[in-house]
Amino acid sequence: LWDVLESCDINGASDASIRNPVPNDMNVILSRAPIRGIFTTGTKAGALYRRLCLPLCGREAVTLPSTSPANCAVSLEQLCARYAVIRQTAESNNWKLGRK
């Protein structure tokens, strides 16, 4: 797990208030670990990743719904269904969490 942003100016936890975003250098981890998939949680993280990280690392990410309690539009069942893509990605690469 790694944040899209290394730093930013933000008021509280409001994604809408993010200013001066500095992306994490995803190549640091992508060059050293067998990363099979990249997933972002929430619309803002997905947008920031596409705008700031994708051009630097060239690896697409799947944007998943936010798990924040403020995201009442998505039920637990819907979250589970959408997050199943992580398991599918791991299994399709003959890779299990915690071991190869």
Side-chain angles (χ1 to χ4, degrees):
L1 300 175
W2 208 11
D3 285 330
V4 170
L5 299 181
E6 175 183 299
S7 65
C8 68
D9 297 324
I10 187 170
N11 292 325
S14 171
D15 287 349
S17 73
I18 291 175
R19 301 288 181 265
N20 305 312
V22 176
N24 265 312
D25 181 359
M26 297 299 168
N27 289 310
V28 170
I29 193 167
L30 292 172
S31 67
R32 291 174 175 83
I35 305 298
R36 303 285 194 326
I38 299 173
F39 305 90
T40 62
T41 54
T43 303
K44 185 68 169 189
L48 287 166
Y49 182 89
R50 284 188 299 281
R51 182 167 60 95
L52 301 172
C53 299
L54 179 59
L56 300 175
C57 72
R59 296 276 303 266
E60 295 283 343
V62 174
T63 300
L64 298 170
S66 172
T67 57
S68 168
N71 185 18
C72 299
V74 180
S75 70
L76 177 59
E77 292 77 20
Q78 291 169 318
L79 283 175
C80 290
R82 292 285 305 277
Y83 273 73
V85 69
I86 297 171
R87 182 179 194 151
Q88 293 162 357
T89 299
E91 290 175 349
S92 71
N93 286 298
N94 294 321
W95 177 77
K96 301 290 183 195
L97 297 177
R99 63 175 189 231
K100 289 185 182 176

